[in-house]
Amino acid sequence: KETDTSTMMRSPAPTITMLLAWLLLLHTGSLLALAQPAEKEGTCAWNDVSCYQDPHLKEITVDLGTGTNETFLAYHPSDVSTFYQEEPGSRQAKVPSFHGQFGKFINLSPNPIIIYWSSGRKHNDVYIAEAAAFEAAATATFPGHKFLVRSKTDDDSADLQMWTITAKQVLYTYDPFEDGTLKLTDLKPDQLELYNLQKNNLKFAEQYKAATGVDYLSLYPRRPRPTNPMWAADYFGQQHSVMTRETHFTELPNPENLVPLKPGGVHEPMLKAHREEDTLNMTMTVLSCAPRVFEIKNFLSKVEIDHIMQIATGMTLHQSSTKAGLEGESRHDESTRTSRNSWVVRGKSPIIDAIYRRSADLMQVNEAYMRKRSNDEMPHLKTKGSNSEQLQLVHYDVGQQYTPHHDFAIPSLVDGQPMRFATILFYLNEGMGGGATTFPKWRNAEHTSELKVVPEVGKAVLFYSLLPDGNMDELSQHAAQPVSDGEKWLINLWTWDPMMRF
């Protein structure tokens, strides 16, 4: 295993003396980052997004039929042999025993549609999602599943189309112009623009897959590369170290000191008398290279966990829901997700605020990214709202689970294509039967079974939902296994890129 404090830089690691000389206290107010001087040729600090480029991004040329070829920096997956620090070609990736896949349904009609899963029994089809005109929706599915397209405006309409899911095909379209049901000449200019946008995206997706072997699930060219840095996951067991001033709470402050906070800017770590001194070193260990999954042990202290559980005792937990797209309602699906959840706002207490700040350091982002900001904070961002959601507190009882799913949803056609970028899971207890977090599609050369992460008190797991080129990472599909004995408590934090939008 290797401790790597400069992974996000393109040059060789500096000497210890140089590192000490370049120790920077960033404006986040908490992160201690090790970086090389920007003026040195060939170097690039992790927080200089304009400088750093993931080494797996390689230029491809695409022809969309406009008469001018376009170039795109596409993510090319690594040879699985390199995950074991071996020569490329020395190993072959195992085919997962899990056959589930992503299904993206694109509505190329000027009219909204509703998508149903066909149960095979009359009047017993299951609502999946709505897709507005020229928009898309998606869901986790399996080969052989059938989906029906129906008009949203005509309740008595016949099925407009049926899709049968086939292995290795993730994109499905409803296009009433292809069979002559509608005519392109009847579209308004803005509608025709959206139609062509989706058609060009399909052309792009075909060429992207031919070049990379990966399905393109995002929207070209409106989904840019992530604006936030991503930790490298080059091989199993690789380690990164992050130092933070947001140290552990070692004793619970008096109740009068745990009052809700008002949104604020940079400040010194609060309630130092109740915390460890100086800095906290967070060690990240690569569990999976594709998708990128990291384990951080002892992210939370026992006092912090006790505080969260104390908060939970005063909350009413509700049945968890799922949603396949931005249109339509969230749904309670007992066959998919059976846990119960509630939400904890960042300003609930100084301890919760410290967890957000520590998470920002772990993800290499300014803590202001995770809260409402003043006009002069991070002016390059288009919005002033938080780019992270409230902490989701989740409880699983015996038999409860969350079947394989993705944390991202298909965004609307707005520029930037805002969506969930990264997830951090925080485990609050351990010792239950079952309840592991699994990644059934992880790439490796030894196992056909899923990657299994067993809950441990205080442990955090970070994984990304996007690839470095802005494509959604289908391999990030994950599940919460059923609890067979005891109970499971966790909280999770979702962070968006380039902005949060509902």
Side-chain angles (χ1 to χ4, degrees):
K1 294 184 179 180
E2 173 184 317
T3 300
D4 184 357
T5 55
S6 55
T7 298
M8 302 303 291
M9 296 180 282
R10 292 186 299 213
S11 61
T15 66
I16 296 297
T17 302
M18 294 167 67
L19 283 174
L20 292 175
W22 298 329
L23 188 62
L24 302 178
L25 177 59
L26 298 185
H27 65 282
T28 61
S30 54
L31 178 63
L32 297 173
L34 298 174
Q36 297 191 44
E39 66 270 16
K40 184 175 180 179
E41 184 177 358
T43 66
C44 179
W46 62 260
N47 58 331
D48 186 353
V49 177
S50 63
C51 175
Y52 176 75
Q53 180 174 303
D54 191 287
H56 301 291
L57 293 175
K58 301 176 183 177
E59 191 174 273
I60 64 172
T61 301
V62 294
D63 180 7
L64 302 183
T66 61
T68 303
N69 290 342
E70 301 179 27
T71 58
F72 179 79
L73 281 174
Y75 177 80
H76 289 67
S78 299
D79 187 297
V80 72
S81 307
T82 63
F83 299 169
Y84 300 87
Q85 302 186 73
E86 297 177 4
E87 289 297 319
S90 61
R91 294 192 184 220
Q92 296 296 319
K94 293 288 187 179
V95 177
S97 57
F98 175 78
H99 300 299
Q101 64 184 71
F102 191 74
K104 180 181 178 181
F105 309 118
I106 305 169
N107 179 20
L108 294 171
S109 164
N111 303 309
I113 60 172
I114 301 179
I115 301 164
Y116 293 87
W117 175 72
S118 175
S119 65
R121 291 174 290 179
K122 193 173 183 180
H123 306 304
N124 201 29
D125 301 320
V126 178
Y127 168 89
I128 296 297
E130 297 177 16
F134 307 111
E135 299 274 4
T139 188
T141 184
F142 286 85
H145 279 184
K146 299 181 186 298
F147 293 89
L148 304 173
V149 178
R150 294 174 184 161
S151 170
K152 181 182 178 181
T153 56
D154 186 356
D155 293 335
D156 298 324
S157 68
D159 297 335
L160 301 175
Q161 187 166 330
M162 183 176 73
W163 297 303
T164 300
I165 302 299
T166 59
K168 299 183 180 180
Q169 180 183 349
V170 300
L171 303 179
Y172 298 84
T173 60
Y174 168 61
D175 189 348
F177 300 99
E178 285 189 344
D179 61 7
T181 303
L182 298 178
K183 297 180 180 180
L184 289 175
T185 54
D186 294 333
L187 291 179
K188 298 176 181 178
D190 59 334
Q191 293 176 320
L192 183 60
E193 180 182 355
L194 295 179
Y195 178 84
N196 288 332
L197 174 68
Q198 290 285 17
K199 293 289 282 188
N200 285 338
N201 187 57
L202 290 169
K203 295 178 184 177
F204 176 84
E206 182 178 1
Q207 297 172 61
Y208 179 96
K209 186 172 184 178
T212 67
V214 178
D215 286 294
Y216 191 74
L217 308 179
S218 294
L219 182 67
Y220 176 83
R222 295 192 177 184
R223 172 64 233 186
R225 282 187 285 163
T227 59
N228 292 305
M230 298 176 65
W231 285 105
D234 299 319
Y235 54 88
F236 299 131
Q238 181 182 14
Q239 292 190 329
H240 309 293
S241 293
V242 180
M243 286 186 290
T244 177
R245 295 173 64 206
E246 293 296 336
T247 58
H248 285 146
F249 278 82
T250 56
E251 62 180 19
L252 193 66
N254 294 327
E256 58 266 24
N257 291 325
L258 291 177
V259 296
L261 303 178
K262 295 181 179 179
V266 176
H267 58 68
E268 288 290 310
M270 300 181 68
L271 304 175
K272 288 184 177 181
H274 304 278
R275 305 172 73 163
E276 293 174 346
E277 295 182 359
D278 301 325
T279 61
L280 170 67
N281 180 55
M282 300 180 288
T283 301
M284 307 171 60
T285 302
V286 173
L287 301 182
S288 169
C289 304
R292 299 188 188 193
V293 182
F294 307 85
E295 174 185 78
I296 309 93
K297 294 192 175 184
N298 301 313
F299 185 93
L300 298 176
S301 71
K302 184 180 184 303
V303 169
E304 292 161 352
I305 292 172
D306 290 344
H307 177 64
I308 295 169
M309 297 303 294
Q310 185 180 33
I311 291 175
T313 60
M315 288 184 169
T316 301
L317 300 182
H318 303 280
Q319 183 180 354
S320 303
S321 61
T322 62
K323 196 171 184 180
L326 296 184
E327 297 294 326
E329 299 294 327
S330 298
R331 59 195 177 101
H332 301 293
D333 186 351
E334 291 287 348
S335 65
T336 300
R337 190 179 191 188
T338 52
S339 60
R340 302 183 71 81
N341 71 333
S342 190
W343 303 91
V344 182
V345 299
R346 173 171 173 172
K348 180 72 174 178
S349 75
I351 293 179
I352 300 299
D353 181 72
I355 293 172
Y356 269 89
R357 290 173 178 269
R358 194 180 305 154
S359 299
D361 290 346
L362 182 73
M363 293 180 59
Q364 311 170 94
V365 300
N366 191 317
E367 62 82 24
Y369 192 83
M370 294 182 166
R371 58 170 169 80
K372 291 183 178 180
R373 298 173 293 278
S374 62
N375 291 332
D376 58 348
E377 288 183 298
M378 308 186 76
H380 62 285
L381 296 178
K382 293 183 179 180
T383 64
K384 294 302 176 185
S386 174
N387 281 20
S388 290
E389 298 181 40
Q390 298 174 9
L391 289 174
Q392 181 184 216
L393 175 65
V394 189
H395 176 255
Y396 293 86
D397 213 335
V398 171
Q400 293 183 327
Q401 64 174 323
Y402 197 172
T403 59
H405 63 283
H406 296 87
D407 280 353
F408 56 76
I410 302 298
S412 64
L413 298 181
V414 298
D415 286 336
Q417 292 283 279
M419 64 184 72
R420 285 173 177 166
F421 163 70
T423 300
I424 307 180
L425 306 176
F426 309 92
Y427 298 108
L428 305 181
N429 71 324
E430 61 186 27
M432 74 291 296
T437 302
T438 63
F439 295 84
K441 304 190 75 170
W442 71 305
R443 293 184 64 231
N444 74 97
E446 295 181 349
H447 308 284
T448 60
S449 58
E450 71 273 11
L451 171 67
K452 186 179 294 186
V453 183
V454 177
E456 296 177 20
V457 171
K459 182 167 74 176
V461 171
L462 164 68
F463 64 91
Y464 296 107
S465 292
L466 292 180
L467 295 172
D469 63 3
N471 189 16
M472 304 174 198
D473 189 358
E474 187 186 2
L475 300 184
S476 67
Q477 190 171 19
H478 57 286
Q481 288 188 328
V483 173
S484 59
D485 181 59
E487 61 179 346
K488 173 184 173 183
W489 286 92
L490 64 83
I491 53 174
N492 64 263
L493 177 63
W494 286 308
T495 300
W496 288 53
D497 184 282
M499 68 194 80
M500 190 164 71
R501 183 186 179 105
F502 287 100

